[in-house]
Amino acid sequence: MDKNTLINTLSRFGQPDPTQRNTDFSALRLTQADAPTLLDLLLYSDELNNQESTWFVTLYAWRALKSLNTPVDITELLTALELYQDHDWALDELPDVVAAAGERALAPTLAYIQDPERDEFLRSLAVEILPLVGHDHPELRATIVEQLTTLLAQQTAETPELNAFLVSALLDLKALESLVVINKAYEDNKVAIAIVGDFEDVEIELGLRTERTKPRENPNKWLNQDDEGLEPPSQAPVPDDIANDDLFDRLQQHLDYYGHEYSIQEVAGLDGLFAAVSCAPKMIMPTEWLAAIWGGEDYMPEFPGQAELTIFVELIMKLFNQTHQHLKETKKFQASFMSTIDENGEQILNVHSWCEGFMRGIVLGQPPLIEAPEMQQMLTPIAIFGTPQGYAKVEQMSDAEVQEWAVQIEPTVLKIRNWAIAHAPKLKPMVNTVKVGRNDPCPCGSGKKYKKCCGAN
């Protein structure tokens, strides 16, 4: 088929079902001769991807390639990881598409992972391909384990996330033979434990122990508490009519004092989190979003006593209720972006922190709003400022382009809220379904992959 015929044919499949990862293309009678056109469709179809009525055509193109065992140049296909790095469906399915090539996928994938010029996130995503090949082709398992083990031994502490994905891949392959190298990586502090756990977790995963012998190491060592001059948060009673400036200041004290690498860093992020939670079609319990503030239950702070915890909860509930009520009643949402002063004395709105907080909240609940296919396009103005993939795009934008995207954030929140209200009766909890963005770092801030964090519910 020529390209236009393929586009018309694939578009007839319509919006994809988020509960299905495969599509039956048998009626199309595709052959390997169609593979180059499918690849061209995948790599050079910006107009299709930017239209609500055709964005899914490229999804069917990569699924069709997979159904043919991906008979294309794998090096060229791997460029799709960067092209689609902000497309959750693609990040979820493209590793399987590459893996369908079997042994032909190994050398190009290894070269991609070893390229230090590439983004660490994309290199980590490519690691996912290797165990998929190993499972589909058991005769290649030993070779893949050796390659992964060598890669892990060669990496430095400068790529902890990549190293964690290498460990995860070895665990997927039950690579007992790699235990010495894995242990050495942990001893050298080269592995991000928030993604794959510590060495005891590795031993449990490999069946070498049944339970832990020591408490799991918590990344939030409260290092900020050791900073000279950093005082504990104020324990003064919280007035019922506390002024916003005082509320924000006291909450920031808590974030500074108890915060860590995976927690929300600024009050603007809390407002973003609460805006997303308030958009949910079903109530999200405070126990769930409280954990999201710190990056998950494993990373919640241990307050000195009940009095300190009570103060924090009172403060946080005031901000939550304020954001929730505003979004519920307003027709023109105003986000609490906060602001900072740059070296030139100019005021800078802190949209990044706010959007990062919103992205944490959008993965919460059952079902989470991020599972809805419509969110792919709707979330774009927020995801650009609130995800690692978006940051790279912002860096390439002019000031005018950044402003054009930033002014869309607040209207987007209302659009998401209104969509959720309208579709609430139709949204059903998803059980045993494909989880959007399974290879993406979970927006809740835990550092874990989405499929092993909020997407595991």
Side-chain angles (χ1 to χ4, degrees), residues 11 14-16 45-58 60 87 89 372-380 415 419 423:
S11 65
Q15 292 276 354
S45 298
D46 287 345
E47 290 185 7
L48 292 174
N49 293 329
N50 292 329
Q51 295 183 31
E52 184 68 24
S53 60
T54 57
W55 69 266
F56 47 81
V57 170
T58 49
Y60 292 123
H87 192 305
W89 289 76
E374 290 83 353
M375 287 298 113
Q376 296 287 333
Q377 296 292 329
M378 213 178 298
L379 267 173
T380 299
K415 186 185 299 183
W419 182 92
H423 292 77

Side-chain angles (χ1 to χ4, degrees), residues 32 65 72 78 129 226 253 266 313 364 440 457:
Q32 292 194 358
L65 276 175
V72 294
L78 285 168
I129 297 167
D226 296 328
Q253 291 175 19
E266 299 175 334
V313 171
L364 303 178
D440 211 2
N457 294 326

